[in-house]
């Protein structure tokens, strides 16, 4: 999992840890918080530093209300708060004298401990994550339990916070609040995420775990993508040349004359050493091969809703919805957790009957529903048996394929295919769900939060598959960048049953949605006598560029271009694996890159300033 890996985290840094599913990211976090001990090397923590970790899996032995679970992360003060909260609930429901006295005693204890500020922190986190403090933790869904564990990690205010996929099961509002929370509090953070918008906003440094090694790629995600591609290309060229050297030495050794036995023995030893070095290389994991099996085209109209209404008791979920989904549309559904996105999908697919209005379906619809498949994964069955219910062959794209071969397209080697589902990581389970899904032929694809726990490379491939898919897509997701890349329109649950329809993805919706404080224009008034014109303000004299500034402006583009060329050359240098072995050279190159970034930013700002003055003159 880790092979002589080095990592350091400074106070106030927010480090994003990237890596393929199964690369060892969660293992690294367990090493950092002390849950695991390393086989070699050491983990050094600042004296007295506290570390809190959000795990991917929710521990089983947790009981009490949501408030109790979240407050438990605060130690003794948290336990006092939890008991006080329970006492207030009992007083509200029972009104007993005994509960009232206990509440007063705990109130005094909290005063003495100065714990009221902590209660405010707990209440704030519960509010923004949309959690009911009085709900029994055991009765919560898996997603809600994980949100409660996230809340417990956030309220602890540790010296180092370790978050493993913190955006899973959060709606967009909660994700954006968490971004502000982490940035404004200058939290020292190591986090794993597939949410690229969250990564870009929060990370101050990107570190990647690849084949047991940790590499530092700086803070810019787009620069990381470019430099990573260059590094992989350089590695491929180096390995190709090494393989050619082995082949040449093998041919040379076989064709040399036996009289030069001593030379041959030396060459043989050198060749054996090269072969041992080659065998020790860690091969990069392959990429998932996604292929959708499209059924015959559906009719042009897929779903038509007219004045549809639906409610749960007195709560309206959908109110007067009129929309038409045509073949080839890719529709995203956006809304807070619990707002009714899944209910809306079930209405559109005909699984629920509307209380009012009509829903009409087109012809020839073959529907695949990702959320339905989640419930069909038996944790006690093996990966192999989960694909075709125990059969050895599966039909994909019109051809028969052995399940082992098909699973390798989803990065499950034969030895992993016999693993029970319960032993898979979250990302591996999602890959298995996708593998099962794509054995079916469909022309309407419904995906409910498909991105949870997927690594970013698999996410990119899923995006490309959906863009190439010629059928109709309904997508529920809180991944803002994924929505922007994939969907052509959005249905937004805006509250009180209102559903807005907007063109484009998430960012397009932000531009189009009404402002929260938007008010109707005031009613027309009767004309009044024209007021006396105000005296014209004295116009500010426009400044012109000086002779020196004119020459500076002319020279700035060349200076910026020179810096950018030097920066690109440094990126190419850092992509050379040979340089990465020289720690001093890497440090010098990174220091020069930081200086160039600052210089380019300053020169660009100065150029824009002078351009503005010149344009106004």
């Amino acid at each position: 999992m880790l092979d002589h890996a080095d990592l350091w985290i400074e106070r106030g840094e927010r480090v994003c840890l990237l890596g393929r599913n199964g690369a060892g990211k969660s293992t690294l976090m367990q090493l950092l918080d002390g849950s695991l001990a390393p086989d070699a090397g050491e983990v050094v923590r600042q004296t007295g530093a506290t570390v809190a970790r959000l795990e991917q899996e929710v521990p089983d032995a947790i009981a009490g209300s949501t408030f109790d679970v979240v407050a438990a992360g605060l130690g003794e003060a948290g336990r006092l708060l939890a008991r006080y909260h329970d006492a207030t609930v009992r007083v509200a429901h029972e009104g007993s004298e005994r509960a009232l006295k206990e509440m007063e005693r705990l109130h005094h204890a909290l005063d003495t401990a100065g714990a009221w500020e902590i209660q405010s922190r707990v209440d704030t986190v519960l509010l923004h994550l949309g959690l009911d403090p009085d709900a029994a933790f055991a009765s919560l869904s898996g997603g809600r339990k994980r949100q409660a564990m996230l809340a417990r990690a956030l309220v602890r205010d540790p010296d180092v916070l370790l978050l493993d996929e913190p955006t899973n099961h959060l709606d967009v509002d909660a994700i954006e609040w968490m971004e502000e929370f982490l940035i404004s509090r200058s939290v020292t953070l190591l986090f794993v995420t597939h949410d690229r918008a969250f990564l870009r906003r929060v990370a101050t440094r990107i570190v990647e775990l690849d084949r047991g090694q940790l590499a530092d790629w700086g803070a810019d995600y787009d620069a990381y993508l470019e430099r990573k591609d260059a590094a992989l290309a350089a590695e491929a060229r180096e390995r190709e040349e090494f393989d050619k050297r082995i082949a040449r030495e093998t041919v040379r050794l076989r064709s040399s004359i036996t009289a030069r036995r001593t030379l041959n023995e030396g060459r043989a030893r050198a060749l054996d050493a090269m072969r041992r070095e080659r065998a020790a290389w860690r091969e990069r994991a392959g990429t998932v091969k996604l292929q959708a099996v499209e059924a015959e085209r559906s009719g042009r109209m897929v779903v038509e809703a007219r004045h549809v209404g639906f409610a749960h008791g007195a709560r309206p979920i959908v109110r007067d919805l009129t929309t038409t989904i045509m073949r080839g549309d890719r529709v995203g559904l956006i809304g807070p957790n619990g707002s009714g996105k899944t209910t809306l999908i079930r209405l559109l697919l005909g699984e629920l009957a509307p209380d009012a209005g009509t829903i009409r379906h087109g012809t020839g619809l073959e529907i695949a529903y990702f959320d339905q498949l989640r419930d069909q994964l038996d944790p006690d069955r093996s990966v192999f048996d989960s694909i075709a219910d125990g059969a050895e062959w599966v039909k994909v794209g019109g051809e028969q394929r052995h399940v082992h071969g098909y699973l390798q397209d989803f990065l499950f080697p034969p030895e992993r295919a016999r693993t029970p589902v319960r032993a898979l990581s979250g990302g591996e389970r999602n890959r298995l769900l996708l593998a099962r899904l794509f054995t079916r032929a469909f022309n309407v694809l419904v995906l409910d939060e498909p991105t949870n726990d997927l690594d970013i490379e698999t996410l990119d491939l899923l995006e490309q598959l959906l863009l190439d898919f010629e059928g109709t897509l309904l997508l529920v997701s809180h991944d803002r960048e994924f929505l922007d890349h994939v969907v052509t329109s959005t249905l937004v649950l805006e509250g009180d049953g209102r559903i807005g329809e907007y063109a484009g993805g998430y960012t397009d919706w932000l531009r189009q949605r009404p402002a929260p404080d938007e008010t109707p224009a005031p009613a027309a008034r009767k004309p009044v006598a024209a007021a006396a014109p105000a005296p014209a303000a004295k116009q500010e004299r426009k400044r012109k560029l000086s002779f020196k500034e004119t020459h500076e402006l002319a020279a700035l583009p060349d200076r910026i271009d020179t810096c950018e060329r030097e920066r690109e050359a440094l990126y190419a240098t850092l992509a050379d694996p040979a340089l990465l072995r020289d720690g001093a050279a890497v440090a010098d190159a990174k220091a020069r890159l930081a200086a160039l970034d600052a210089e380019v930013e300053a020169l660009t700002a100065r150029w824009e300033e002078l351009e503005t003055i010149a344009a106004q003159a």
Side-chain angles (χ1 to χ4, degrees):
M1 304 303 286
L2 296 167
D3 185 11
H4 293 84
D6 296 321
L7 173 69
W8 65 95
I9 302 174
E10 302 288 347
R11 183 177 295 278
E13 281 192 306
R14 298 187 297 273
V15 181
C16 178
L17 178 62
L18 299 181
R20 301 296 297 271
N21 291 139
K25 300 186 295 294
S26 298
T27 300
L28 176 59
M29 288 190 167
Q30 289 176 294
L31 288 168
L32 294 179
D33 79 345
S35 302
L36 284 179
D39 298 329
E42 59 181 348
V43 179
V44 180
R45 301 175 190 84
Q46 188 180 73
T47 303
T50 56
V51 181
R53 176 168 63 98
L54 170 68
E55 305 174 43
Q56 273 195 343
E57 302 297 330
V58 178
D60 293 327
I62 293 183
S65 69
T66 303
F67 189 97
D68 296 341
V69 171
V70 174
L74 297 166
E76 184 57 36
R79 285 187 282 274
L80 276 175
L81 275 176
R83 289 166 59 193
Y84 178 78
H85 179 80
D86 292 342
T88 58
V89 172
R90 289 200 307 275
V91 167
H93 286 84
E94 304 167 9
S96 70
E97 187 69 24
R98 181 178 177 184
L100 184 59
K101 286 182 178 179
E102 184 181 0
M103 189 176 110
E104 291 172 350
R105 182 179 62 80
L106 289 168
H107 191 288
H108 177 70
L110 288 168
D111 278 336
T112 305
W116 295 113
E117 180 186 350
I118 294 176
Q119 170 153 13
S120 175
R121 196 191 313 164
V122 173
D123 290 340
T124 299
V125 173
L126 288 172
L127 173 67
H128 285 284
L129 294 183
L131 292 167
D132 178 3
D134 299 325
F137 183 81
S139 68
L140 298 179
S141 66
R144 285 294 190 189
K145 284 181 178 178
R146 200 161 185 281
Q147 287 176 346
M149 299 306 293
L150 172 61
R152 183 161 79 169
L154 292 177
V155 300
R156 281 186 62 181
D157 197 20
D159 295 300
V160 181
L161 183 59
L162 309 175
L163 298 180
D164 199 344
E165 293 288 3
T167 62
N168 281 359
H169 309 293
L170 296 187
D171 57 39
V172 173
D173 288 341
I175 292 172
E176 291 179 342
W177 170 81
M178 183 165 60
E179 289 174 352
E180 292 294 337
F181 180 91
L182 295 172
I183 293 170
S184 64
R185 289 178 175 259
S186 300
V187 174
T188 303
L189 177 66
L190 177 73
F191 66 98
V192 174
T193 187
H194 67 270
D195 188 323
R196 290 154 294 182
F198 183 81
L199 187 164
R200 294 176 196 273
R201 180 85 197 283
V202 174
T204 60
R205 184 155 64 98
I206 295 174
V207 172
E208 183 181 32
L209 176 56
D210 183 16
R211 290 165 285 179
Q213 296 294 314
L214 288 166
D216 188 340
W217 295 97
D220 189 325
Y221 178 67
D222 293 313
Y224 152 76
L225 293 176
E226 293 176 10
R227 293 167 60 191
K228 177 68 175 178
D229 286 343
L232 290 174
E235 179 185 321
R237 289 193 299 270
E238 183 181 11
R239 293 193 169 193
E240 183 180 1
E241 182 57 36
F242 195 85
D243 287 340
K244 288 178 180 178
R245 282 177 56 200
I246 292 177
R248 286 196 300 267
E249 285 299 315
T250 302
V251 171
R252 188 178 300 169
L253 185 64
R254 288 173 178 170
S255 61
S256 62
I257 58 175
T258 57
R260 303 175 66 184
R261 185 177 302 277
T262 303
L263 179 61
N264 286 348
E265 289 176 355
R267 280 183 175 167
R269 285 194 297 271
L271 182 59
D272 285 342
M274 291 171 66
R275 285 172 173 164
R276 284 195 298 272
E277 181 182 347
R278 179 66 179 84
W281 285 352
R282 289 171 178 252
E283 297 297 337
R284 178 172 166 77
T287 54
V288 176
K289 298 175 184 177
L290 300 179
Q291 179 184 4
V293 183
E294 295 191 29
E296 293 295 324
R297 295 176 71 184
S298 66
R300 187 166 180 270
M301 189 272 292
V302 175
V303 180
E304 181 185 66
R306 288 286 175 266
H307 305 292
V308 169
F310 187 84
H312 282 313
R315 178 191 166 208
I317 304 296
V318 177
R319 189 195 300 270
D320 196 27
L321 171 64
T322 296
T323 188
T324 303
I325 298 174
M326 308 298 288
R327 182 181 64 230
D329 285 350
R330 297 195 294 273
V331 183
L333 277 71
I334 300 175
N337 286 336
S339 59
K341 297 185 294 297
T342 301
T343 299
L344 176 57
I345 283 180
R346 296 182 65 195
L347 281 168
L348 294 175
L349 296 182
E351 295 180 4
L352 289 176
D355 297 335
T358 59
I359 293 178
R360 187 164 64 94
H361 295 101
T363 58
L365 302 186
E366 295 289 342
I367 300 171
Y369 192 0
F370 185 74
D371 191 60
Q372 287 177 337
L373 294 175
R374 296 186 186 197
D375 295 333
Q376 295 178 17
L377 278 185
D378 183 344
D380 295 319
R381 299 187 79 178
S382 68
V383 171
F384 184 98
D385 292 337
S386 298
I387 290 296
D389 297 321
E392 292 202 5
W393 297 88
V394 63
K395 192 169 185 178
V396 181
E399 62 174 313
Q400 288 286 112
R401 297 192 59 188
H402 196 276
V403 171
H404 273 312
Y406 178 65
L407 280 171
Q408 289 186 54
D409 288 350
F410 291 82
L411 307 186
F412 290 105
E415 62 273 14
R416 192 67 170 160
R418 294 301 177 185
T419 302
V421 170
R422 68 171 65 256
L424 300 180
S425 69
E428 288 175 316
R429 290 185 193 185
N430 253 18
R431 285 210 310 268
L432 180 59
L433 289 169
L434 290 173
R436 184 179 173 94
L437 174 73
F438 292 140
T439 60
R440 300 184 174 188
F442 51 82
N443 51 34
V444 177
L445 179 58
V446 183
L447 298 177
D448 194 346
E449 290 292 354
T451 65
N452 285 348
D453 298 312
L454 290 181
D455 58 55
I456 291 180
E457 291 186 47
T458 306
L459 195 58
D460 288 338
L461 292 168
L462 179 59
E463 273 183 8
Q464 190 57 53
L465 178 137
L466 295 178
L467 291 173
D468 294 338
F469 177 55
E470 295 182 356
T472 306
L473 173 68
L474 295 178
L475 171 66
V476 177
S477 179
H478 298 129
D479 188 321
R480 294 156 288 179
E481 195 158 329
F482 190 74
L483 286 167
D484 279 342
H485 291 176
V486 171
V487 305
T488 55
S489 64
T490 53
L491 292 174
V492 183
L493 285 80
E494 298 174 333
D496 196 33
R498 298 188 307 275
I499 296 178
E501 188 169 7
Y502 301 87
Y506 175 80
T507 304
D508 298 304
W509 164 62
L510 290 183
R511 285 196 293 265
Q512 298 172 68
R513 66 178 178 177
D517 58 348
E518 193 172 281
T519 55
R525 297 179 180 176
K526 294 181 179 179
V528 297
K538 187 176 181 180
Q539 289 190 346
E540 183 182 352
R541 186 179 177 184
K542 294 178 180 177
R543 185 171 87 80
K544 294 184 178 181
L545 291 178
S546 67
F547 178 79
K548 182 180 178 181
E549 287 174 330
T550 302
H551 280 272
E552 182 186 2
L553 177 59
L556 277 171
D558 287 338
R559 291 177 62 190
I560 294 171
D561 187 54
T562 300
C563 290
E564 289 181 338
R565 283 201 301 271
E566 184 181 353
R567 186 167 60 179
E568 290 302 316
L570 275 172
Y571 281 144
T573 302
L574 284 169
D576 184 357
L579 178 72
L580 298 179
R581 301 187 186 100
D582 186 346
V586 170
D588 291 343
K590 287 183 177 178
R592 179 57 183 155
L593 270 177
L596 283 171
D597 286 339
E599 187 174 354
V600 168
E601 186 176 351
L603 289 173
T604 304
R606 178 61 173 163
W607 177 76
E608 290 175 349
E609 177 189 354
L610 295 179
E611 277 281 306
T612 302
I613 295 172
Q616 292 174 348

